[in-house]
Amino acid sequence: MGVNSVTNACAHLQNASRARLGLTSLPNNKYNLRLALALHRAGFVNSVTRAGPHPPPPEALLTFEPEPVTNTNVATRRLWLGLKYWNNEPVMKKVTPVSKPSRLVTATLDELSRVSRGFPAGHLKGLNLGECMFLSTDRGVLEVREALERKVGGLVLCRVS
Amino acid sequence: MSAARPAVRNLFSRHLASAASTPATAAVRPAVIAAAAGAAQSPSCRHHQFHSSAQLEARRRPRFKSVRAEEMGLVSEKKVQEYSDKTFPRYTQEEMEALAEQYSPAQLAALEAGEAAIDPRDLTIQGRLRVDPYRMPYIDDFAEIQPIIDRRPRKQPPPDPNARFMNLDEFTEDLIKWADKFQTGPVTGTLKKLTDFVPKEYRKKPEGQWPGAIRDRAHEDFALYIQEEASKPPTDPDVAAVSGPTDADVLEYILERSSMTDGNRTSNSALAPALPAKVPGVTGLYKNAIDPADEGLDDTGIYQELKKRTGMTVREIMGIRCAELVQRFVSNQTRLGKIRSTSSLWVAGNGHGWLGIGIAKSVEPMAANQRAKMLAIRNMRPIRRYEERTIYGNVEAKVGGSVVRLFSRPPGFGLRVSHRIFEMCRAAGIKDLSAKFIRSRNPLNTVKATYDALTSQPDPEEIAIGRGKKLVDVRKVYYGGAVH
């Protein structure tokens, strides 16, 4: 499975944020799940919950016990993401996919260190104030600073600010 | 040569003037006469002469002496009578008969009465028909004023130049004087006294000195008068009230009575006299009060509104750095033609993170500049500055087709920007910046877009709060924060 679902998820999340939605859903797959968890770690989303076609009630989002995924219900599972807003502005204003199925962009550790300090490297522009970049590495989907901590490079998925 | 000429002419003409009465042969050989002139000059010509023209010897006299009419015997009574009889003869018997055929006896009598009323002598002396070329095209003795032809006579004296508004005492006095006009009916003190019944010469003398007959007569009359007064019915108070000033009188008092100390002098004009230069009670109320706190910096009062709006002192306002960034010549096409005016964009900043822009338009460029400058100062808003030298991150803004990208830069980088953004940065106190116009470079829109970009910088604190993260500026962490 390629980065197609991540690219789609990026566009969907930006649209949902601009539409001021409180809760939105992504297709349930491993890539989306890892990206959603990385966004959660970076503080861009409130909650990540796997549920059916209808979201769990808002008050139960954090304490929700998802039913185990089985062969019978896996096709109807979705990832429900709680979106954040602050000062009448979405916290996740801009979500730009970097890699797409027709062109995968990878970055080495050196490139990442430059980009994270705001300088351009190769095809990548430097990060701006408050901007995050998510990578798919062999340690999972990581934010660029996490990847630098772990000293791993990888496939650049998207930039979020 | 030319310098000597006036002197020669002077000498020559002086002689001519002094020798005006001499025979004409003197002018034939002027050079010879001029040489001899020094000796021949009369004593009256010795003094200095300040004119180049010839001086006259004395006052010009008429060639013929005038003879008075009195000396000619023209105003003697006999001559006057003679002239009157000749010019204004009485009707002869034949003429009267001819008139009698034309008029009725009553009309004839009126004619005769009219003839008898006018003395022919008066006509000779006073009435005079003009025969000069400048006479009026009609016969008139100008004894009457004809409103259509004649100017309106100015019967009243001119307004009193020293009149001023009445003070309270004068006003009270004037009001009493006006009210006295309407006092009617018996009032205490208006009854006649005994002295009113004697001839004038005895009024000031005591009663004892009056002759007996006069005294008796006065007593009789006075008693009669007292009886008469006592027998009168008592005055109705309502009638007395009615006899006071009417509504029209009060209205006239309010509208027309002069409120100045000119004794209610009527004017030749229907217009009220103009107000004096200094109206008491009004003087100083409508003048721009100069605030002593301004230290004399704003006597014209142009900063007063700004002072109220911003709360700054005039000295602080004048210390604000202002610059004109864009000037455009615009015109409004009307059916009467183009009305050209100037539109100005000014930027103002205090050099410590406050920046404002103002746009104004006026037919007068100076007025537009002034207004735009004031608006710029009024519109000043805080600009976020990183380390008080550059901006937070890179920002982009778009106005029309102009897209401005601003990039934060390290210390010592300087302002590598276009001249308009340079002025804005200088006003705002930004020292390190680079910028790029990626599309249109329209002056007005780039300035506006730059202002938008500067005011829409991201706030790291807000971002950190939004994401629930702790934020640390690493420039302040490494090397103990000694990074400058």
Side-chain angles (χ1 to χ4, degrees):
Chain A
M1 188 170 179
V3 293
N4 201 3
S5 64
V6 171
T7 312
N8 290 342
C10 289
H12 177 72
L13 286 176
Q14 180 173 303
N15 288 342
S17 280
R18 290 188 180 178
R20 296 290 200 275
L21 301 185
L23 204 61
T24 187
S25 71
L26 298 176
N28 174 37
N29 55 44
K30 286 180 191 169
Y31 231 153
N32 277 355
L33 178 64
R34 285 169 189 158
L35 177 67
L37 290 174
L39 288 172
H40 186 262
R41 280 202 303 279
F44 284 107
V45 291
N46 262 338
S47 60
V48 181
T49 312
R50 184 192 282 133
H54 297 290
E59 66 275 9
L61 268 180
L62 296 177
T63 57
F64 185 66
E65 290 275 338
E67 59 180 293
V69 182
T70 61
N71 280 342
T72 52
N73 68 2
V74 68
T76 59
R77 293 305 93 184
R78 291 194 71 82
L79 297 172
W80 291 93
L81 271 63
L83 303 180
K84 289 168 85 171
Y85 300 92
W86 176 251
N87 265 0
N88 211 17
E89 285 286 322
V91 171
M92 191 163 49
K93 267 182 232 164
K94 200 172 171 188
V95 188
T96 320
V98 177
S99 287
K100 51 184 184 175
S102 61
R103 192 187 75 168
L104 301 176
V105 178
T106 55
T108 63
L109 196 59
D110 287 345
E111 286 171 342
L112 289 183
S113 67
R114 273 186 64 78
V115 168
S116 68
R117 281 182 282 127
F119 299 110
H123 292 292
L124 295 170
K125 284 179 185 171
L127 289 180
N128 200 355
L129 179 68
E131 202 173 12
C132 290
M133 192 161 71
F134 291 92
L135 304 148
S136 173
T137 67
D138 51 2
R139 305 274 190 94
V141 174
L142 302 175
E143 210 265 317
V144 64
R145 281 115 190 158
E146 294 171 330
L148 283 170
E149 263 180 38
R150 290 168 175 78
K151 297 194 192 308
V152 287
L155 181 69
V156 183
L157 295 178
C158 61
R159 305 167 73 115
V160 182
S161 62
Chain B
M1 181 67 192
S2 62
R5 193 175 286 162
V8 171
R9 189 175 61 190
N10 203 358
L11 202 63
F12 176 51
S13 57
R14 188 183 296 171
H15 174 76
L16 269 191
S18 63
S21 56
T22 58
T25 50
V28 177
R29 295 187 321 188
V32 177
I33 295 168
Q41 265 177 356
S42 62
S44 65
C45 290
R46 289 241 173 91
H47 60 79
H48 276 291
Q49 196 177 343
F50 299 107
H51 283 274
S52 58
S53 57
Q55 192 186 23
L56 292 173
E57 186 190 18
R59 193 168 64 85
R60 187 189 294 258
R61 294 197 179 278
R63 290 168 66 196
F64 306 103
K65 282 191 175 177
S66 52
V67 184
R68 290 179 183 170
E70 202 176 346
E71 290 168 6
M72 292 172 73
L74 289 178
V75 292
S76 66
E77 200 58 39
K78 190 185 160 197
K79 281 278 183 185
V80 168
Q81 190 63 39
E82 200 176 303
Y83 182 83
S84 301
D85 291 344
K86 186 182 151 198
T87 320
F88 311 108
R90 297 198 170 278
Y91 286 124
T92 59
Q93 194 61 35
E94 293 159 5
E95 283 169 340
M96 289 300 287
E97 282 168 11
L99 285 172
E101 287 176 12
Q102 192 80 21
Y103 296 105
S104 68
Q107 285 172 331
L108 209 58
L111 272 176
E112 282 176 350
E115 284 289 319
I118 298 172
D119 190 357
R121 186 178 179 280
D122 289 346
L123 286 176
T124 305
I125 293 172
Q126 296 172 4
R128 189 165 300 170
L129 290 179
R130 287 174 63 170
V131 290
D132 55 324
Y134 311 108
R135 65 182 182 267
M136 298 292 154
Y138 50 89
I139 298 173
D140 197 350
D141 60 352
F142 304 110
E144 284 179 5
I145 294 165
Q146 299 186 20
I148 293 174
I149 301 168
D150 297 326
R151 282 194 176 178
R152 203 153 51 84
R154 291 167 176 266
K155 291 178 183 169
Q156 310 297 341
D160 185 2
N162 298 321
R164 53 180 174 76
F165 280 99
M166 291 188 281
N167 58 28
L168 190 60
D169 293 339
E170 288 161 345
F171 175 77
T172 313
E173 201 178 317
D174 185 64
L175 182 62
I176 290 169
K177 199 192 282 179
W178 174 77
D180 277 346
K181 289 195 300 181
F182 305 102
Q183 205 172 31
T184 55
V187 178
T188 313
T190 58
L191 281 177
K192 287 181 180 175
K193 295 171 194 166
L194 184 61
T195 49
D196 293 333
F197 294 92
V198 292
K200 266 185 187 172
E201 57 263 32
Y202 299 114
R203 282 192 187 166
K204 290 197 175 171
K205 291 179 182 173
E207 197 183 335
Q209 294 180 16
W210 294 352
I214 289 175
R215 184 170 48 196
D216 294 344
R217 179 75 186 276
H219 276 285
E220 275 174 29
D221 288 350
F222 185 59
L224 210 62
Y225 169 73
I226 291 295
Q227 277 179 7
E228 214 173 275
E229 286 293 318
S231 64
K232 273 186 184 173
T235 317
D236 189 3
D238 290 343
V239 173
V242 164
S243 67
T246 61
D247 289 349
D249 292 329
V250 174
L251 197 66
E252 188 190 3
Y253 176 81
I254 293 168
L255 293 180
E256 291 176 17
R257 195 161 180 93
S258 171
S259 53
M260 307 187 71
T261 57
D262 55 0
N264 198 26
R265 186 187 284 185
T266 44
S267 166
N268 283 314
S269 167
L271 299 174
L275 285 176
K278 283 187 178 178
V279 182
V282 182
T283 316
L285 283 180
Y286 293 94
K287 228 164 68 180
N288 280 337
I290 298 173
D291 191 354
D294 296 346
E295 304 166 26
L297 293 171
D298 185 27
D299 287 348
T300 49
I302 53 174
Y303 292 114
Q304 293 305 309
E305 192 199 345
L306 209 54
K307 211 173 75 171
K308 280 180 200 160
R309 276 182 177 273
T310 60
M312 289 190 283
T313 63
V314 172
R315 190 171 283 284
E316 284 170 350
I317 291 172
M318 291 177 84
I320 286 171
R321 183 191 292 273
C322 299
E324 184 186 27
L325 293 191
V326 186
Q327 189 182 40
R328 298 183 303 153
F329 300 104
V330 296
S331 58
N332 178 21
Q333 179 74 52
T334 69
R335 67 197 172 97
L336 301 173
K338 282 178 183 164
I339 300 172
R340 292 180 174 79
S341 45
T342 309
S343 168
S344 291
L345 185 147
W346 278 65
V347 64
N350 66 350
H352 296 285
W354 280 69
L355 188 71
I357 57 174
I359 305 173
K361 188 177 70 174
S362 173
V363 176
E364 286 294 322
M366 290 295 288
N369 284 344
Q370 183 75 24
R371 178 92 183 119
K373 189 176 165 185
M374 295 298 154
L375 283 173
I377 295 173
R378 212 179 79 180
N379 294 340
M380 282 207 309
R381 284 167 57 191
I383 301 287
R384 194 167 286 126
R385 290 185 301 162
Y386 180 62
E387 291 178 349
E388 298 190 350
R389 58 172 186 84
T390 186
I391 58 170
Y392 281 93
N394 306 331
V395 280
E396 180 179 311
K398 176 173 176 289
V399 170
S402 298
V403 181
V404 173
R405 279 185 188 157
L406 303 178
F407 308 101
S408 68
R409 284 293 179 254
F413 184 86
L415 293 171
R416 301 188 199 173
V417 293
S418 78
H419 64 286
R420 294 195 179 87
I421 300 184
F422 179 87
E423 286 293 340
M424 295 176 78
C425 289
R426 204 157 66 143
I430 293 171
K431 297 172 187 73
D432 303 307
L433 195 76
S434 69
K436 194 166 254 184
F437 302 143
I438 56 169
R439 282 174 56 188
S440 164
R441 286 175 295 187
N442 178 292
L444 194 76
N445 288 342
T446 51
V447 171
K448 283 183 181 174
T450 307
Y451 188 68
D452 286 354
L454 287 173
T455 49
S456 64
Q457 294 173 43
D459 184 3
E461 297 289 336
E462 296 288 313
I463 291 172
I465 292 168
R467 292 182 196 167
K469 294 283 184 187
K470 183 185 173 186
L471 178 133
V472 175
D473 184 0
V474 290
R475 273 178 62 80
K476 291 170 185 160
V477 172
Y478 294 151
Y479 313 116
V483 291
H484 286 291

